[in-house]
Amino acid sequence: MSNMNFDMPNFALALPEIFVLCMACVVLLADLFVGERNRVVTYLMSQATLVGAAILTVGLHTGETQMTFGGSFISDTMGDVLKVFIYLVTAVVFLYSREYLRVRQLFTGEYFVLGLFGVLGMMVMVSAHSFLTIYLGLELLSLSLYAMVALQRDSIGATEAAMKYFVLGSLASGMLLYGMSMFYGVTGSLDITEVGAYLAQSHDKNIVLAFGVVFVVVGLAFKLGAVPFHMWVPDVYHGAPTSVTLYIGTAPKIAAFAMVMRLLVEGLGDLHMQWQGMLIMLAIASMAVGNIIAIAQSNIKRMLAYSTIAHVGFLLLGILTGTENGYSSSMFYILVYALMGLGGFGMVILLSRAGFEADRLEDFKGLNQRSPWFAFIMLILMISMAGIPVSVGFWAKLAVLQALIRADMTWLAVVAVLFSVIGAYYYLRIVKLMYFDKPEDTSPIQPALDMRVAMSANGLAVFALGVYPSALTALCVAALK
Amino acid sequence: MFSDLPLLSLIIWLPIIGGLVVLAAGKNDVLVRWLALIFSILTFVASLPLYTGFDNGTYQMQFAEQMPWVATFNINYSLGIDGISMPLILLTSFTTVLVIIASWEVIQNKVSQYMAAFLIMEGLMIGVFAALDAVLFYVFWEFMLVPMFLIIGIWGGQRRVYAAIKFFLYTFLGSVLLLVAVLYLYFQSDSFSILDFHDLRIGMTAQVLLFFAFLIAFAVKVPMWPVHTWLPDAHVEAPTGGSVILAAIMLKLGAYGFVRFILPIVPDASHELDWLVIVMSLVAVVYIALVALVQEDMKKLIAYSSISHMGFVTLGFFLVFSIFDNTNSVAGAALGLEGALVQMISHGFVSGAMFLCVGVMYDRLHSRNISDYGGVANTMPVFATLMVLFAMANAGLPGTSGFVGEFMVILSAFKANFWIALLASTTLVLGAAYTLWMVKRVIFGPVGNQNVAALQDLNGREALVLGTLAVLVLLLGVYPAPLVEVMHASVGHLLEQAVSSKL
């Protein structure tokens, strides 16, 4: 028994993950015992889980980079920051969803349990440092999302969306896995540290590596929803219940950013020249297709889906610079995007009521007369998405553009700003509908108090961070040091 | 006495806070109007010490303030004014007071939002003139579009939506290129300070690219031919107050960009490409004046006349280089530049007044068509007197402010090139033609129709607004020295920068 070289992994580093896992199971069980009328208990327990996870993550934060589970799990500042934002965003998603789900008889334990498992998947993705862990986290998240989209069983649209999402998502996972297997074949390791080390010292230009990069990038582009792998995005966003769209459109984007960072930057950083060209094409295509097709939409969920695609294009711009400055800018961008996405979809939820989805553009007509305050909040969100100061969206664009120019890609910055002018048009159209048109529907807007407060805080946060973005930009820079 | 007070911050934020207070006051229209008036007057009063405390002897930035803002990118909240921006700030705070009085009972729909939009916009425009950090400049510059967009879109005329979106997208397109240019300069200098940009050495290729980026941004705003087409639409559809602010101040922002960014930052490219701007300016002066001649709509006519007059401003800026080449001294060039700056202020008064005059008539007859009027002088003698005075100023009659700037620019044009001067001088003929012909058809002659016969002359409020402007137009026309004096040192410094190579 002397050859006990099996090291006990340091479980403490993964305590937040373990906590969320346990709590998700507890919530699942508890939900069986609370009746229909006390379902709010499930909701509160889910929120408590997120708060607890946040306390654990912040409490365990050391500022050092530590590995555990044989190098397949990493704990570092970037991971901790991203996780805290994932909890925050998910908590707001749950809050916005509560009333929406209740009036549609969807206020079930499944939504919250799947949501929590999704959070766990995202946490694993953020902290993964081996191809397998990344895949594990990704699949846990994806499976939760597929099920959540299908939650509204009797809706044909939702079922169709879930089906599309599942088929295309599996295809993407397959691509990603195939690419990873090629790297395993060449480097002999699944560990990102080792793959990175191998690539740093080997000089042979193995054709398999090139193929591997292609498949990995395709897989990532699918998950991010970058053109030309974006087809699922509008259909899923449109078909899913708005509360699920809200969830899909926000927190998983943060996790996807982490996945790109772990895979492309930490793992395949030395193949930067290979993936840079691909990301340039993906970015330009995403900005072009996203911004132009969004103009033709009459459904706001579809429009926001295309707007997401365009934002993903912008996000990729920061990453493809291959500089620390670019990575922190992209990180800033994705956090800001999550905040704006929350607000945008949250507003659709806020305007909806029993039997009325408020997801057509016309439903925003005359909002300024029906509720000047929420029209103002939506105005802030729209100018932020368009990248107009004073809103945090402007700073996000500024950060990415300056990183691009610093990396000597001014031409790409010019392309990006020109597409953002096209993008401004459809955001302005919402403003136009709210402020210039007369309302067709004059029923009062009476959201619950918590929704009212959270939505106002969300909009004001976009504004306040626009006035003073310093703290968040500094945090993103520090996270990537 | 005022040196300790952050005066510039005060006059930027006072109206913005005022706007929020007005918004909060909500449905009580009377209270809202008075609050808006009080805040605008307070801002105007607070801006006066900028003039009285101004040191004419130096080109250095005065009333400077600096605070770190976004440390990650080395962005500072830094403000300061020189002899070029100070008069424009006064123009802004003054015009806003007039606009608020002029909109007093004209606006009945969503009064608080209307007044708040103007107050917030005032703060933002002053911010543009006072900002010394390029990102701060950009933030004010860009955010200003939002209230203006809402003003045109909510309170505008028939095709307001089209005009509002066109206005926004046109200017947004220009300004994003400005952003890229600013970021490039940041990359080169590791600073966003505009004054640091002034000292930065830049290669010729980069200068030319920067020149075009800036030119598109500012030319759209001025607006210069051929990117002027948003202006007639925006002016025609905007409510009177919006038109006044647009003509009197927003157009000046574009021109201000030329002197703050293009001339000092990319002097070599400006020198090389001055012919381009001169040609564009001359086309504006001559061709747009001809376009103005055939307009049926009074607001459109004045809009085109604005473009034509702003052509004079950009012409004055870019004559500098050929004068310098001809005479080898900056002294002669100063006249053109100062003329252009005087023209900016004068045009602020005159075009604002013209739009207010059209507004006065529109409020009574709800028509802007020249053919719906005729013989207004018979029923509105006081109004007719004032309108004729402003029309004369618009045509550049000596003794009015319109003459001073145009005369200075034409005079310096002769030092540059005879043909340029000749073409520029046609404005005196064409400007007189379109303005006076309109006046003849609207004001003089027999009473045109029943509606005109029933017109009431100016009420006290309207008379106060137009009367004040009339006094200023005459004062500046007869005695422009106080304005020119404050500019001297700054203009001299600007010329030094413009003619010294940065290669």
Side-chain angles (χ1 to χ4, degrees):
Chain A
M1 302 292 275
S2 57
N3 56 350
M4 276 283 289
N5 54 3
F6 173 73
D7 290 328
M8 193 64 176
N10 183 0
F11 283 107
L13 295 179
L15 216 51
E17 280 79 1
I18 295 168
F19 174 74
V20 172
L21 173 63
C22 295
M23 280 305 288
C25 298
V26 169
V27 172
L28 178 61
L29 286 175
D31 184 61
L32 293 175
F33 296 99
V34 300
E36 191 66 40
R37 288 170 56 202
N38 298 325
R39 183 103 323 129
V40 73
V41 173
T42 313
Y43 164 76
L44 290 175
M45 282 175 78
S46 312
Q47 293 287 32
T49 307
L50 294 170
V51 173
I55 292 171
L56 280 173
T57 305
V58 173
L60 292 171
H61 175 72
T62 54
E64 288 166 41
T65 302
Q66 290 171 293
M67 304 265 198
T68 182
F69 298 109
S72 64
F73 187 96
I74 186 171
S75 162
D76 59 0
T77 310
M78 180 185 92
D80 287 346
V81 172
L82 291 178
K83 278 182 205 170
V84 170
F85 274 93
I86 287 173
Y87 310 141
L88 178 73
V89 168
T90 312
V92 178
V93 168
F94 285 174
L95 194 158
Y96 285 172
S97 306
R98 190 175 60 95
E99 194 61 21
Y100 177 90
L101 294 170
R102 205 182 53 72
V103 297
R104 282 166 189 74
Q105 271 80 48
L106 290 171
F107 194 53
T108 55
E110 287 84 353
Y111 178 83
F112 297 102
V113 173
L114 287 170
L116 287 180
F117 275 116
V119 169
L120 180 61
M122 291 187 253
M123 293 165 77
V124 174
M125 280 163 81
V126 167
S127 272
H129 218 245
S130 128
F131 287 158
L132 272 187
T133 344
I134 289 184
Y135 189 71
L136 194 71
L138 178 63
E139 284 306 280
L140 181 54
L141 169 66
S142 301
L143 287 171
S144 309
L145 293 182
Y146 304 148
M148 282 172 93
V149 174
L151 212 54
Q152 202 169 13
R153 271 182 324 184
D154 46 2
S155 154
I156 296 172
T159 317
E160 184 192 327
M163 204 59 203
K164 275 183 189 159
Y165 194 18
F166 178 66
V167 172
L168 288 175
S170 312
L171 192 68
S173 301
M175 297 268 193
L176 190 63
L177 209 51
Y178 191 38
M180 287 171 173
S181 75
M182 290 182 182
F183 281 103
Y184 180 63
V186 175
T187 65
S189 173
L190 288 170
D191 188 292
I192 285 180
T193 322
E194 286 172 26
V195 171
Y198 177 90
L199 294 174
Q201 51 160 310
S202 89
H203 295 290
D204 63 332
K205 290 284 162 273
N206 196 326
I207 187 79
V208 180
L209 287 179
F211 271 102
V213 174
V214 172
F215 279 103
V216 167
V217 168
V218 168
L220 292 175
F222 249 116
K223 294 296 174 188
L224 280 169
V227 177
F229 310 104
H230 65 289
M231 312 298 191
W232 62 273
V233 180
D235 288 338
V236 171
Y237 278 36
H238 184 188
T242 312
S243 60
V244 176
T245 311
L246 174 68
Y247 185 72
I248 298 177
T250 50
K253 298 289 173 204
I254 301 179
F257 165 77
M259 182 166 71
V260 173
M261 285 299 290
R262 299 291 184 211
L263 264 178
L264 286 189
V265 176
E266 289 175 19
L268 313 180
D270 281 286
L271 298 175
H272 171 235
M273 291 318 289
Q274 314 244 358
W275 50 259
Q276 184 181 47
M278 297 180 215
L279 291 197
I280 290 178
M281 283 188 277
L282 289 173
I284 294 179
S286 300
M287 288 187 296
V289 170
N291 280 324
I292 292 170
I293 300 193
I295 294 174
Q297 304 307 315
S298 58
N299 180 295
I300 190 162
K301 280 160 79 180
R302 269 191 112 76
M303 191 202 91
L304 287 175
Y306 281 104
S307 128
T308 308
I309 295 170
H311 282 293
V312 163
F314 231 98
L315 171 77
L316 292 175
L317 290 179
I319 297 171
L320 65 83
T321 58
T323 61
E324 209 163 79
N325 183 355
Y327 303 144
S328 62
S329 300
S330 279
M331 181 170 163
F332 181 58
Y333 198 94
I334 200 67
L335 296 180
V336 167
Y337 173 72
L339 192 64
M340 299 188 302
L342 272 182
F345 289 112
M347 195 56 87
V348 180
I349 291 185
L350 185 133
L351 294 185
S352 70
R353 54 179 184 272
F356 175 69
E357 285 296 331
D359 63 351
R360 294 170 313 148
L361 289 182
E362 295 95 83
D363 298 333
F364 279 79
K365 270 191 181 170
L367 187 60
N368 184 35
Q369 285 182 26
R370 297 172 65 200
S371 165
W373 175 247
F374 287 115
F376 174 67
I377 296 285
M378 190 66 176
L379 171 72
I380 295 175
L381 291 166
M382 288 298 116
I383 65 172
S384 183
M385 286 199 184
I388 298 161
V390 173
S391 65
V392 69
F394 162 71
W395 295 102
K397 287 214 158 68
L398 180 114
V400 170
L401 291 174
Q402 64 84 22
L404 268 180
I405 290 171
R406 247 166 218 272
D408 217 7
M409 288 191 270
T410 308
W411 68 275
L412 205 49
V414 173
V415 172
V417 294
L418 292 181
F419 280 121
S420 70
V421 174
I422 298 176
Y425 172 74
Y426 58 87
Y427 298 121
L428 282 184
R429 192 170 51 182
I430 302 274
V431 176
K432 174 236 161 198
L433 289 168
M434 292 190 303
Y435 280 88
F436 305 169
D437 289 353
K438 294 219 164 7
E440 286 171 356
D441 167 10
T442 47
S443 51
I445 299 165
Q446 287 164 322
L449 181 67
D450 56 347
M451 179 83 194
R452 201 182 280 260
V453 172
M455 196 68 227
S456 308
N458 190 338
L460 293 179
V462 168
F463 184 69
L465 283 170
V467 175
Y468 197 70
S470 223
L472 192 56
T473 51
L475 182 70
C476 291
V477 171
L480 284 159
K481 269 277 147 55
Chain B
M1 156 183 180
F2 294 106
S3 55
D4 302 333
L5 214 66
L7 208 54
L8 288 173
S9 286
L10 183 72
I11 58 172
I12 291 172
W13 296 107
L14 189 67
I16 293 179
I17 292 167
L20 298 178
V21 170
V22 165
L23 266 185
K27 295 241 185 305
N28 187 343
D29 290 350
V30 178
L31 177 69
V32 159
R33 290 188 184 111
W34 280 105
L35 272 176
L37 182 63
I38 289 167
F39 272 104
S40 64
I41 290 177
L42 278 179
T43 311
F44 176 60
V45 171
S47 67
L48 288 177
L50 295 182
Y51 184 81
T52 53
F54 193 81
D55 177 4
N56 289 348
T58 173
Y59 64 82
Q60 300 288 351
M61 290 296 165
Q62 305 183 33
F63 301 95
E65 293 171 36
Q66 175 136 349
M67 271 195 304
W69 186 18
V70 185
T72 321
F73 303 124
N74 196 11
I75 297 170
N76 293 300
Y77 174 81
S78 74
L79 303 172
I81 51 167
D82 61 1
I84 296 170
S85 47
M86 189 270 285
L88 292 165
I89 291 180
L90 289 180
L91 177 70
T92 309
S93 62
F94 172 72
T95 310
T96 306
V97 177
L98 290 191
V99 163
I100 284 175
I101 300 176
S103 318
W104 203 255
E105 62 232 17
V106 179
I107 298 294
Q108 292 293 346
N109 174 25
K110 302 194 189 82
V111 183
S112 69
Q113 291 187 359
Y114 181 87
M115 294 296 181
F118 276 100
L119 284 174
I120 291 172
M121 205 155 56
E122 175 187 13
L124 297 171
M125 290 186 298
I126 293 176
V128 171
F129 290 128
L132 288 183
D133 182 282
V135 173
L136 187 65
F137 177 92
Y138 185 82
V139 166
F140 284 130
W141 170 274
E142 187 77 14
F143 189 55
M144 196 171 57
L145 298 182
V146 178
M148 198 65 201
F149 175 72
L150 295 176
I151 287 169
I152 298 176
I154 298 178
W155 296 278
Q158 288 286 316
R159 293 167 70 234
R160 61 206 159 88
V161 174
Y162 168 78
I165 290 185
K166 186 171 178 181
F167 159 76
F168 195 101
L169 290 182
Y170 237 111
T171 28
F172 190 46
L173 175 68
S175 33
V176 291
L177 293 172
L178 170 67
L179 181 65
V180 174
V182 162
L183 288 172
Y184 179 81
L185 289 167
Y186 166 61
F187 167 49
Q188 296 295 330
S189 68
D190 257 318
S191 156
F192 274 118
S193 160
I194 297 176
L195 298 182
D196 287 349
F197 292 171
H198 287 184
D199 299 331
L200 189 66
R201 306 196 84 76
I202 312 166
M204 194 60 192
T205 321
Q207 278 205 28
V208 169
L209 291 173
L210 286 169
F211 176 83
F212 280 108
F214 284 136
L215 181 65
I216 292 171
F218 298 132
V220 166
K221 201 85 166 188
V222 167
M224 297 177 75
W225 177 89
V227 284
H228 63 280
T229 59
W230 63 270
L231 187 77
D233 286 310
H235 265 317
V236 170
E237 300 306 328
T240 305
S243 294
V244 172
I245 293 289
L246 204 55
I249 305 163
M250 277 213 178
L251 307 190
K252 309 302 173 298
L253 294 166
Y256 175 72
F258 275 88
V259 287
R260 188 59 85 222
F261 284 85
I262 298 188
L263 292 180
I265 295 177
V266 289
D268 302 287
S270 310
H271 198 152
E272 199 65 32
L273 294 163
D274 64 341
W275 58 271
L276 178 68
V277 182
I278 290 175
V279 168
M280 284 163 72
S281 307
L282 287 176
V283 172
V285 168
V286 179
Y287 163 74
I288 298 294
L290 291 172
V291 174
L293 204 54
V294 297
Q295 296 307 315
E296 293 295 323
D297 181 315
M298 286 188 279
K299 263 189 154 180
K300 231 174 189 157
L301 189 147
I302 302 167
Y304 280 111
S305 118
S306 282
I307 302 171
S308 177
H309 282 115
M310 289 308 286
F312 250 90
V313 175
T314 47
L315 181 68
F317 291 158
F318 278 81
L319 282 175
V320 168
F321 300 103
S322 31
I323 298 176
F324 181 70
D325 288 347
N326 290 349
T327 64
N328 227 345
S329 86
V330 287
L335 190 65
L337 206 53
E338 277 172 8
L341 294 169
V342 172
Q343 170 78 347
M344 278 163 74
I345 302 290
S346 152
H347 180 255
F349 293 141
V350 176
S351 67
M354 290 296 279
F355 277 116
L356 286 168
C357 286
V358 177
V360 164
M361 289 190 277
Y362 181 80
D363 293 338
R364 288 166 171 70
L365 286 194
H366 297 285
S367 166
R368 297 180 304 254
N369 283 331
I370 295 174
S371 55
D372 289 343
Y373 293 88
V376 173
N378 297 312
T379 44
M380 300 175 74
V382 181
F383 170 75
T385 314
L386 287 168
M387 174 130 178
V388 170
L389 170 72
F390 296 131
M392 292 299 179
N394 202 37
L397 189 80
T400 61
S401 66
F403 173 73
V404 182
E406 288 184 9
F407 184 67
M408 287 163 86
V409 173
I410 293 174
L411 215 55
S412 70
F414 273 105
K415 288 189 195 158
N417 181 312
F418 172 77
W419 295 104
I420 294 177
L422 186 73
L423 283 170
S425 316
T426 57
T427 191
L428 294 173
V429 180
L430 292 171
Y434 60 71
T435 319
L436 297 183
W437 191 30
M438 177 189 82
V439 167
K440 182 222 151 217
R441 284 179 290 170
V442 172
I443 302 284
F444 297 122
V447 172
N449 53 45
Q450 294 275 302
N451 295 333
V452 174
L455 283 176
Q456 296 282 322
D457 208 345
L458 296 179
N459 59 29
R461 179 180 56 81
E462 292 162 339
L464 172 72
V465 173
L466 292 177
T468 319
L469 280 168
V471 170
L472 282 166
V473 164
L474 287 173
L475 208 61
L476 193 60
V478 180
Y479 188 53
L483 177 63
V484 179
E485 267 164 19
V486 296
M487 292 175 178
H488 261 322
S490 302
V491 168
H493 178 61
L494 176 64
L495 277 171
E496 288 292 334
Q497 290 177 315
V499 297
S500 47
S501 170
K502 284 173 98 182
L503 290 172

